[in-house]
Amino acid sequence: MTESEIWGRGPHGEEVRIWTISNRRGLRAKFMNLGAVLLELDVPDRRGETADIVLGYRDLESYFRNFACFGATVGPNANRIGQAAFALEGRLYHLEANDGVNNLHSGSDSFHHRVWQLVEAGENSISFAITSPHMDLGFPGNLTMTVSYQLSEDNRLIIDYEGICDRTSLFNPTNHSYFNLAGHNSGQVFDQLLQISSDSFTYADAASIPDGQIRSVKDSPMDFRVPKPIGRDLKADYDQLKYAGGYDHNWILRDCNGQVRPVATLLDPVSGRRMTVSSDLPGIQFYTGNYIDESEIGKGGCHYPKQGGVCLETQYFPNAINVESFTSPLIYAGQPVHSRTVFAFSVI
């Protein structure tokens, strides 16, 4: 079992520990049991020099709030639910309205604000679990969720999510890490190149809630079928970008057949670091950190600028439970579910 260190105490006095795992090719990652958060991810560049490429806070107390969801395992349901309510099996469920009139990332006391139980820790892998009682956060059913991280010898960070519940409920976790392949404190990501394997995205209104409309990316700033700098169209005169202050949208992924397949690639031309995202899920939320609070103190005492990192959150579509044409992120009584997301690192 890998060694851990105590960082402090959680919101209710629980012991918060940090674990470090690594592989033999230069990848190293740090995690803590508060929120099953990815704290650091050290990745080599083309010269073999490593840098921490995920944004995060300097101190534990900031993670108690973690409004930005830095490194967070978000659950049980990531992203937004319109009007903070949904109907399921003939009953209407009400959630916390923590994003205007809508629910965001399950509420202000969701899983990334809680201390998880360590399941297992090894030299290159670690897993955490959390239990959530019936009607916790407004969701039906007694749910147990596990998240497992592994650093493979071919330089992949593999994330597995598992859940089991005793009632039909929602289960749509994601990882909310902000990536900056030039280094977490290297400024805005406008010159990094992004490619997303998608021909279309879910239109979202001014409150970022999809209603079922699907738009083609063709001839729009949303077209990332060919790699392009993130900043090229970021400030374009386009309703979706104006609503969100940048990119914060769900792309519909090709070949959604339940198999893990490559869905996006991020590249930093200066360092040569390349990250390929693979998933078995139908959507990916590309978010450019439009709401990063520049006054908060990040790792090493830095202040991150807005759009100083990007999230690539694999997921079911936002508000899917309320849109009949979207695949709903349901978990059924006694039927375990599993999904996998992989961040693969290489250099050019």
PDB file of all heavy atoms in Angstrom, residues 288-321:
ATOM      1  N   THR A 288     -14.307  26.313 -20.486  1.00  0.00           N
ATOM      2  CA  THR A 288     -13.068  27.080 -20.517  1.00  0.00           C
ATOM      3  C   THR A 288     -12.817  27.895 -19.249  1.00  0.00           C
ATOM      4  O   THR A 288     -12.104  28.898 -19.291  1.00  0.00           O
ATOM      5  CB  THR A 288     -13.045  28.012 -21.751  1.00  0.00           C
ATOM      6  OG1 THR A 288     -14.310  28.676 -21.888  1.00  0.00           O
ATOM      7  CG2 THR A 288     -12.764  27.226 -23.016  1.00  0.00           C
ATOM      8  N   GLY A 289     -13.364  27.472 -18.123  1.00  0.00           N
ATOM      9  CA  GLY A 289     -13.063  28.157 -16.866  1.00  0.00           C
ATOM     10  C   GLY A 289     -13.518  29.593 -16.839  1.00  0.00           C
ATOM     11  O   GLY A 289     -12.828  30.472 -16.296  1.00  0.00           O
ATOM     12  N   ASN A 290     -14.703  29.853 -17.390  1.00  0.00           N
ATOM     13  CA  ASN A 290     -15.198  31.225 -17.503  1.00  0.00           C
ATOM     14  C   ASN A 290     -15.514  31.860 -16.159  1.00  0.00           C
ATOM     15  O   ASN A 290     -15.592  33.084 -16.050  1.00  0.00           O
ATOM     16  CB  ASN A 290     -16.449  31.247 -18.373  1.00  0.00           C
ATOM     17  CG  ASN A 290     -16.292  30.458 -19.653  1.00  0.00           C
ATOM     18  OD1 ASN A 290     -15.247  30.506 -20.284  1.00  0.00           O
ATOM     19  ND2 ASN A 290     -17.309  29.708 -20.024  1.00  0.00           N
ATOM     20  N   TYR A 291     -15.720  31.032 -15.139  1.00  0.00           N
ATOM     21  CA  TYR A 291     -16.135  31.556 -13.836  1.00  0.00           C
ATOM     22  C   TYR A 291     -15.060  31.357 -12.765  1.00  0.00           C
ATOM     23  O   TYR A 291     -15.348  31.426 -11.576  1.00  0.00           O
ATOM     24  CB  TYR A 291     -17.450  30.887 -13.403  1.00  0.00           C
ATOM     25  CG  TYR A 291     -18.536  31.025 -14.437  1.00  0.00           C
ATOM     26  CD1 TYR A 291     -19.007  29.917 -15.130  1.00  0.00           C
ATOM     27  CD2 TYR A 291     -19.078  32.276 -14.744  1.00  0.00           C
ATOM     28  CE1 TYR A 291     -19.990  30.042 -16.094  1.00  0.00           C
ATOM     29  CE2 TYR A 291     -20.062  32.414 -15.709  1.00  0.00           C
ATOM     30  CZ  TYR A 291     -20.520  31.290 -16.378  1.00  0.00           C
ATOM     31  OH  TYR A 291     -21.492  31.419 -17.333  1.00  0.00           O
ATOM     32  N   ILE A 292     -13.842  31.118 -13.179  1.00  0.00           N
ATOM     33  CA  ILE A 292     -12.752  31.044 -12.204  1.00  0.00           C
ATOM     34  C   ILE A 292     -12.660  32.365 -11.444  1.00  0.00           C
ATOM     35  O   ILE A 292     -12.657  33.446 -12.043  1.00  0.00           O
ATOM     36  CB  ILE A 292     -11.415  30.730 -12.900  1.00  0.00           C
ATOM     37  CG1 ILE A 292     -11.405  29.287 -13.414  1.00  0.00           C
ATOM     38  CG2 ILE A 292     -10.233  30.940 -11.952  1.00  0.00           C
ATOM     39  CD1 ILE A 292     -10.167  28.925 -14.224  1.00  0.00           C
ATOM     40  N   ASP A 293     -12.586  32.263 -10.134  1.00  0.00           N
ATOM     41  CA  ASP A 293     -12.476  33.455  -9.276  1.00  0.00           C
ATOM     42  C   ASP A 293     -11.004  33.836  -9.176  1.00  0.00           C
ATOM     43  O   ASP A 293     -10.214  33.155  -8.512  1.00  0.00           O
ATOM     44  CB  ASP A 293     -13.058  33.152  -7.890  1.00  0.00           C
ATOM     45  CG  ASP A 293     -13.094  34.383  -6.987  1.00  0.00           C
ATOM     46  OD1 ASP A 293     -12.430  35.388  -7.298  1.00  0.00           O
ATOM     47  OD2 ASP A 293     -13.785  34.318  -5.948  1.00  0.00           O
ATOM     48  N   GLU A 294     -10.626  34.924  -9.816  1.00  0.00           N
ATOM     49  CA  GLU A 294      -9.218  35.324  -9.879  1.00  0.00           C
ATOM     50  C   GLU A 294      -8.680  35.780  -8.535  1.00  0.00           C
ATOM     51  O   GLU A 294      -7.462  35.900  -8.363  1.00  0.00           O
ATOM     52  CB  GLU A 294      -9.050  36.421 -10.930  1.00  0.00           C
ATOM     53  CG  GLU A 294      -9.407  35.973 -12.339  1.00  0.00           C
ATOM     54  CD  GLU A 294      -9.292  37.082 -13.372  1.00  0.00           C
ATOM     55  OE1 GLU A 294      -9.204  38.254 -12.954  1.00  0.00           O
ATOM     56  OE2 GLU A 294      -9.286  36.776 -14.574  1.00  0.00           O
ATOM     57  N   SER A 295      -9.548  36.030  -7.575  1.00  0.00           N
ATOM     58  CA  SER A 295      -9.083  36.473  -6.257  1.00  0.00           C
ATOM     59  C   SER A 295      -8.654  35.304  -5.371  1.00  0.00           C
ATOM     60  O   SER A 295      -7.954  35.513  -4.375  1.00  0.00           O
ATOM     61  CB  SER A 295     -10.188  37.267  -5.546  1.00  0.00           C
ATOM     62  OG  SER A 295     -11.267  36.427  -5.167  1.00  0.00           O
ATOM     63  N   GLU A 296      -9.069  34.097  -5.699  1.00  0.00           N
ATOM     64  CA  GLU A 296      -8.714  32.950  -4.874  1.00  0.00           C
ATOM     65  C   GLU A 296      -7.260  32.550  -5.119  1.00  0.00           C
ATOM     66  O   GLU A 296      -6.699  32.792  -6.191  1.00  0.00           O
ATOM     67  CB  GLU A 296      -9.654  31.781  -5.149  1.00  0.00           C
ATOM     68  CG  GLU A 296     -11.073  32.049  -4.695  1.00  0.00           C
ATOM     69  CD  GLU A 296     -11.919  30.809  -4.693  1.00  0.00           C
ATOM     70  OE1 GLU A 296     -12.092  30.200  -5.771  1.00  0.00           O
ATOM     71  OE2 GLU A 296     -12.418  30.439  -3.618  1.00  0.00           O
ATOM     72  N   ILE A 297      -6.670  31.924  -4.114  1.00  0.00           N
ATOM     73  CA  ILE A 297      -5.246  31.581  -4.177  1.00  0.00           C
ATOM     74  C   ILE A 297      -5.083  30.124  -4.583  1.00  0.00           C
ATOM     75  O   ILE A 297      -5.590  29.219  -3.924  1.00  0.00           O
ATOM     76  CB  ILE A 297      -4.561  31.843  -2.828  1.00  0.00           C
ATOM     77  CG1 ILE A 297      -4.754  33.301  -2.414  1.00  0.00           C
ATOM     78  CG2 ILE A 297      -3.077  31.510  -2.911  1.00  0.00           C
ATOM     79  CD1 ILE A 297      -4.197  33.632  -1.047  1.00  0.00           C
ATOM     80  N   GLY A 298      -4.359  29.932  -5.668  1.00  0.00           N
ATOM     81  CA  GLY A 298      -4.108  28.595  -6.170  1.00  0.00           C
ATOM     82  C   GLY A 298      -2.821  28.015  -5.621  1.00  0.00           C
ATOM     83  O   GLY A 298      -2.161  28.583  -4.741  1.00  0.00           O
ATOM     84  N   LYS A 299      -2.463  26.858  -6.141  1.00  0.00           N
ATOM     85  CA  LYS A 299      -1.251  26.164  -5.708  1.00  0.00           C
ATOM     86  C   LYS A 299      -0.024  27.059  -5.892  1.00  0.00           C
ATOM     87  O   LYS A 299       0.090  27.773  -6.891  1.00  0.00           O
ATOM     88  CB  LYS A 299      -1.090  24.862  -6.499  1.00  0.00           C
ATOM     89  CG  LYS A 299      -2.112  23.813  -6.131  1.00  0.00           C
ATOM     90  CD  LYS A 299      -1.897  22.504  -6.861  1.00  0.00           C
ATOM     91  CE  LYS A 299      -2.360  22.550  -8.287  1.00  0.00           C
ATOM     92  NZ  LYS A 299      -2.353  21.201  -8.924  1.00  0.00           N
ATOM     93  N   GLY A 300       0.859  27.018  -4.904  1.00  0.00           N
ATOM     94  CA  GLY A 300       2.064  27.826  -4.972  1.00  0.00           C
ATOM     95  C   GLY A 300       1.815  29.306  -4.792  1.00  0.00           C
ATOM     96  O   GLY A 300       2.708  30.126  -5.049  1.00  0.00           O
ATOM     97  N   GLY A 301       0.612  29.683  -4.349  1.00  0.00           N
ATOM     98  CA  GLY A 301       0.298  31.090  -4.137  1.00  0.00           C
ATOM     99  C   GLY A 301      -0.112  31.843  -5.379  1.00  0.00           C
ATOM    100  O   GLY A 301      -0.266  33.068  -5.339  1.00  0.00           O
ATOM    101  N   CYS A 302      -0.321  31.130  -6.507  1.00  0.00           N
ATOM    102  CA  CYS A 302      -0.675  31.820  -7.752  1.00  0.00           C
ATOM    103  C   CYS A 302      -2.155  32.195  -7.761  1.00  0.00           C
ATOM    104  O   CYS A 302      -2.956  31.667  -6.986  1.00  0.00           O
ATOM    105  CB  CYS A 302      -0.343  30.949  -8.955  1.00  0.00           C
ATOM    106  SG  CYS A 302      -1.394  29.491  -9.120  1.00  0.00           S
ATOM    107  N   HIS A 303      -2.497  33.134  -8.644  1.00  0.00           N
ATOM    108  CA  HIS A 303      -3.888  33.494  -8.889  1.00  0.00           C
ATOM    109  C   HIS A 303      -4.203  33.103 -10.335  1.00  0.00           C
ATOM    110  O   HIS A 303      -3.627  33.656 -11.268  1.00  0.00           O
ATOM    111  CB  HIS A 303      -4.117  34.993  -8.679  1.00  0.00           C
ATOM    112  CG  HIS A 303      -4.006  35.419  -7.249  1.00  0.00           C
ATOM    113  ND1 HIS A 303      -5.102  35.506  -6.419  1.00  0.00           N
ATOM    114  CD2 HIS A 303      -2.925  35.750  -6.503  1.00  0.00           C
ATOM    115  CE1 HIS A 303      -4.705  35.886  -5.209  1.00  0.00           C
ATOM    116  NE2 HIS A 303      -3.391  36.046  -5.238  1.00  0.00           N
ATOM    117  N   TYR A 304      -5.114  32.142 -10.500  1.00  0.00           N
ATOM    118  CA  TYR A 304      -5.443  31.689 -11.845  1.00  0.00           C
ATOM    119  C   TYR A 304      -6.318  32.708 -12.557  1.00  0.00           C
ATOM    120  O   TYR A 304      -7.285  33.213 -11.987  1.00  0.00           O
ATOM    121  CB  TYR A 304      -6.190  30.354 -11.792  1.00  0.00           C
ATOM    122  CG  TYR A 304      -5.404  29.224 -11.184  1.00  0.00           C
ATOM    123  CD1 TYR A 304      -5.897  28.536 -10.083  1.00  0.00           C
ATOM    124  CD2 TYR A 304      -4.177  28.831 -11.712  1.00  0.00           C
ATOM    125  CE1 TYR A 304      -5.195  27.485  -9.526  1.00  0.00           C
ATOM    126  CE2 TYR A 304      -3.461  27.779 -11.162  1.00  0.00           C
ATOM    127  CZ  TYR A 304      -3.972  27.114 -10.061  1.00  0.00           C
ATOM    128  OH  TYR A 304      -3.264  26.076  -9.513  1.00  0.00           O
ATOM    129  N   PRO A 305      -6.010  33.001 -13.813  1.00  0.00           N
ATOM    130  CA  PRO A 305      -6.888  33.891 -14.578  1.00  0.00           C
ATOM    131  C   PRO A 305      -8.110  33.145 -15.073  1.00  0.00           C
ATOM    132  O   PRO A 305      -8.109  31.907 -15.162  1.00  0.00           O
ATOM    133  CB  PRO A 305      -6.005  34.309 -15.757  1.00  0.00           C
ATOM    134  CG  PRO A 305      -5.128  33.115 -15.990  1.00  0.00           C
ATOM    135  CD  PRO A 305      -4.851  32.546 -14.616  1.00  0.00           C
ATOM    136  N   LYS A 306      -9.154  33.875 -15.391  1.00  0.00           N
ATOM    137  CA  LYS A 306     -10.265  33.242 -16.090  1.00  0.00           C
ATOM    138  C   LYS A 306      -9.726  32.601 -17.364  1.00  0.00           C
ATOM    139  O   LYS A 306      -8.858  33.144 -18.028  1.00  0.00           O
ATOM    140  CB  LYS A 306     -11.338  34.278 -16.428  1.00  0.00           C
ATOM    141  CG  LYS A 306     -12.077  34.826 -15.215  1.00  0.00           C
ATOM    142  CD  LYS A 306     -13.174  35.785 -15.622  1.00  0.00           C
ATOM    143  CE  LYS A 306     -13.846  36.418 -14.409  1.00  0.00           C
ATOM    144  NZ  LYS A 306     -14.501  35.451 -13.539  1.00  0.00           N
ATOM    145  N   GLN A 307     -10.237  31.419 -17.663  1.00  0.00           N
ATOM    146  CA  GLN A 307      -9.817  30.658 -18.840  1.00  0.00           C
ATOM    147  C   GLN A 307      -8.347  30.263 -18.756  1.00  0.00           C
ATOM    148  O   GLN A 307      -7.650  30.158 -19.751  1.00  0.00           O
ATOM    149  CB  GLN A 307     -10.164  31.436 -20.113  1.00  0.00           C
ATOM    150  CG  GLN A 307     -11.679  31.564 -20.250  1.00  0.00           C
ATOM    151  CD  GLN A 307     -12.168  32.748 -21.033  1.00  0.00           C
ATOM    152  OE1 GLN A 307     -11.433  33.698 -21.304  1.00  0.00           O
ATOM    153  NE2 GLN A 307     -13.448  32.725 -21.394  1.00  0.00           N
ATOM    154  N   GLY A 308      -7.917  30.001 -17.513  1.00  0.00           N
ATOM    155  CA  GLY A 308      -6.567  29.502 -17.274  1.00  0.00           C
ATOM    156  C   GLY A 308      -6.469  27.993 -17.261  1.00  0.00           C
ATOM    157  O   GLY A 308      -5.405  27.431 -16.973  1.00  0.00           O
ATOM    158  N   GLY A 309      -7.568  27.320 -17.576  1.00  0.00           N
ATOM    159  CA  GLY A 309      -7.590  25.867 -17.656  1.00  0.00           C
ATOM    160  C   GLY A 309      -8.888  25.437 -18.304  1.00  0.00           C
ATOM    161  O   GLY A 309      -9.855  26.212 -18.376  1.00  0.00           O
ATOM    162  N   VAL A 310      -8.922  24.213 -18.813  1.00  0.00           N
ATOM    163  CA  VAL A 310     -10.122  23.707 -19.471  1.00  0.00           C
ATOM    164  C   VAL A 310     -10.541  22.392 -18.846  1.00  0.00           C
ATOM    165  O   VAL A 310      -9.708  21.589 -18.422  1.00  0.00           O
ATOM    166  CB  VAL A 310      -9.919  23.519 -20.989  1.00  0.00           C
ATOM    167  CG1 VAL A 310      -9.566  24.841 -21.645  1.00  0.00           C
ATOM    168  CG2 VAL A 310      -8.868  22.469 -21.295  1.00  0.00           C
ATOM    169  N   CYS A 311     -11.855  22.204 -18.773  1.00  0.00           N
ATOM    170  CA  CYS A 311     -12.426  20.935 -18.330  1.00  0.00           C
ATOM    171  C   CYS A 311     -12.965  20.187 -19.548  1.00  0.00           C
ATOM    172  O   CYS A 311     -13.550  20.788 -20.454  1.00  0.00           O
ATOM    173  CB  CYS A 311     -13.560  21.165 -17.346  1.00  0.00           C
ATOM    174  SG  CYS A 311     -13.095  22.062 -15.863  1.00  0.00           S
ATOM    175  N   LEU A 312     -12.765  18.876 -19.536  1.00  0.00           N
ATOM    176  CA  LEU A 312     -13.315  17.989 -20.556  1.00  0.00           C
ATOM    177  C   LEU A 312     -14.052  16.887 -19.812  1.00  0.00           C
ATOM    178  O   LEU A 312     -13.500  15.832 -19.513  1.00  0.00           O
ATOM    179  CB  LEU A 312     -12.204  17.456 -21.463  1.00  0.00           C
ATOM    180  CG  LEU A 312     -11.538  18.530 -22.335  1.00  0.00           C
ATOM    181  CD1 LEU A 312     -10.206  18.053 -22.891  1.00  0.00           C
ATOM    182  CD2 LEU A 312     -12.477  18.947 -23.474  1.00  0.00           C
ATOM    183  N   GLU A 313     -15.314  17.174 -19.488  1.00  0.00           N
ATOM    184  CA  GLU A 313     -16.096  16.350 -18.572  1.00  0.00           C
ATOM    185  C   GLU A 313     -16.963  15.365 -19.364  1.00  0.00           C
ATOM    186  O   GLU A 313     -17.966  15.752 -19.956  1.00  0.00           O
ATOM    187  CB  GLU A 313     -16.981  17.238 -17.705  1.00  0.00           C
ATOM    188  CG  GLU A 313     -16.241  18.343 -16.970  1.00  0.00           C
ATOM    189  CD  GLU A 313     -17.190  19.454 -16.556  1.00  0.00           C
ATOM    190  OE1 GLU A 313     -18.134  19.172 -15.781  1.00  0.00           O
ATOM    191  OE2 GLU A 313     -16.999  20.591 -17.014  1.00  0.00           O
ATOM    192  N   THR A 314     -16.588  14.105 -19.360  1.00  0.00           N
ATOM    193  CA  THR A 314     -17.396  13.089 -20.021  1.00  0.00           C
ATOM    194  C   THR A 314     -18.656  12.837 -19.207  1.00  0.00           C
ATOM    195  O   THR A 314     -18.624  12.836 -17.979  1.00  0.00           O
ATOM    196  CB  THR A 314     -16.592  11.800 -20.187  1.00  0.00           C
ATOM    197  OG1 THR A 314     -16.112  11.370 -18.906  1.00  0.00           O
ATOM    198  CG2 THR A 314     -15.401  12.029 -21.105  1.00  0.00           C
ATOM    199  N   GLN A 315     -19.789  12.595 -19.890  1.00  0.00           N
ATOM    200  CA  GLN A 315     -21.059  12.648 -19.172  1.00  0.00           C
ATOM    201  C   GLN A 315     -22.227  12.192 -20.041  1.00  0.00           C
ATOM    202  O   GLN A 315     -22.108  12.031 -21.259  1.00  0.00           O
ATOM    203  CB  GLN A 315     -21.338  14.091 -18.770  1.00  0.00           C
ATOM    204  CG  GLN A 315     -21.450  15.010 -19.990  1.00  0.00           C
ATOM    205  CD  GLN A 315     -21.777  16.448 -19.665  1.00  0.00           C
ATOM    206  OE1 GLN A 315     -21.807  16.865 -18.525  1.00  0.00           O
ATOM    207  NE2 GLN A 315     -22.057  17.226 -20.692  1.00  0.00           N
ATOM    208  N   TYR A 316     -23.403  11.999 -19.380  1.00  0.00           N
ATOM    209  CA  TYR A 316     -24.683  12.066 -20.057  1.00  0.00           C
ATOM    210  C   TYR A 316     -25.014  13.549 -20.228  1.00  0.00           C
ATOM    211  O   TYR A 316     -24.469  14.400 -19.544  1.00  0.00           O
ATOM    212  CB  TYR A 316     -25.762  11.358 -19.252  1.00  0.00           C
ATOM    213  CG  TYR A 316     -25.624   9.859 -19.259  1.00  0.00           C
ATOM    214  CD1 TYR A 316     -24.892   9.204 -18.272  1.00  0.00           C
ATOM    215  CD2 TYR A 316     -26.209   9.085 -20.266  1.00  0.00           C
ATOM    216  CE1 TYR A 316     -24.750   7.827 -18.275  1.00  0.00           C
ATOM    217  CE2 TYR A 316     -26.079   7.705 -20.282  1.00  0.00           C
ATOM    218  CZ  TYR A 316     -25.346   7.078 -19.280  1.00  0.00           C
ATOM    219  OH  TYR A 316     -25.200   5.720 -19.302  1.00  0.00           O
ATOM    220  N   PHE A 317     -25.922  13.851 -21.135  1.00  0.00           N
ATOM    221  CA  PHE A 317     -26.188  15.242 -21.476  1.00  0.00           C
ATOM    222  C   PHE A 317     -26.770  15.999 -20.276  1.00  0.00           C
ATOM    223  O   PHE A 317     -27.521  15.437 -19.474  1.00  0.00           O
ATOM    224  CB  PHE A 317     -27.174  15.347 -22.635  1.00  0.00           C
ATOM    225  CG  PHE A 317     -26.739  14.682 -23.906  1.00  0.00           C
ATOM    226  CD1 PHE A 317     -27.639  14.528 -24.957  1.00  0.00           C
ATOM    227  CD2 PHE A 317     -25.450  14.205 -24.076  1.00  0.00           C
ATOM    228  CE1 PHE A 317     -27.255  13.923 -26.143  1.00  0.00           C
ATOM    229  CE2 PHE A 317     -25.051  13.585 -25.252  1.00  0.00           C
ATOM    230  CZ  PHE A 317     -25.962  13.441 -26.290  1.00  0.00           C
ATOM    231  N   PRO A 318     -26.455  17.291 -20.145  1.00  0.00           N
ATOM    232  CA  PRO A 318     -27.083  18.102 -19.094  1.00  0.00           C
ATOM    233  C   PRO A 318     -28.598  18.096 -19.238  1.00  0.00           C
ATOM    234  O   PRO A 318     -29.130  18.104 -20.351  1.00  0.00           O
ATOM    235  CB  PRO A 318     -26.515  19.506 -19.339  1.00  0.00           C
ATOM    236  CG  PRO A 318     -25.308  19.298 -20.192  1.00  0.00           C
ATOM    237  CD  PRO A 318     -25.552  18.067 -20.989  1.00  0.00           C
ATOM    238  N   ASN A 319     -29.286  18.078 -18.109  1.00  0.00           N
ATOM    239  CA  ASN A 319     -30.744  18.117 -18.052  1.00  0.00           C
ATOM    240  C   ASN A 319     -31.386  16.933 -18.774  1.00  0.00           C
ATOM    241  O   ASN A 319     -32.562  16.978 -19.154  1.00  0.00           O
ATOM    242  CB  ASN A 319     -31.282  19.434 -18.636  1.00  0.00           C
ATOM    243  CG  ASN A 319     -32.696  19.744 -18.180  1.00  0.00           C
ATOM    244  OD1 ASN A 319     -33.069  19.466 -17.048  1.00  0.00           O
ATOM    245  ND2 ASN A 319     -33.488  20.334 -19.068  1.00  0.00           N
ATOM    246  N   ALA A 320     -30.624  15.855 -18.947  1.00  0.00           N
ATOM    247  CA  ALA A 320     -31.129  14.718 -19.717  1.00  0.00           C
ATOM    248  C   ALA A 320     -32.377  14.106 -19.096  1.00  0.00           C
ATOM    249  O   ALA A 320     -33.260  13.612 -19.812  1.00  0.00           O
ATOM    250  CB  ALA A 320     -30.038  13.656 -19.853  1.00  0.00           C
ATOM    251  N   ILE A 321     -32.489  14.139 -17.779  1.00  0.00           N
ATOM    252  CA  ILE A 321     -33.637  13.535 -17.120  1.00  0.00           C
ATOM    253  C   ILE A 321     -34.936  14.253 -17.489  1.00  0.00           C
ATOM    254  O   ILE A 321     -36.033  13.662 -17.411  1.00  0.00           O
ATOM    255  CB  ILE A 321     -33.439  13.522 -15.577  1.00  0.00           C
ATOM    256  CG1 ILE A 321     -34.519  12.684 -14.878  1.00  0.00           C
ATOM    257  CG2 ILE A 321     -33.385  14.940 -15.028  1.00  0.00           C
ATOM    258  CD1 ILE A 321     -34.506  11.227 -15.262  1.00  0.00           C
TER     259      ILE A 321
END
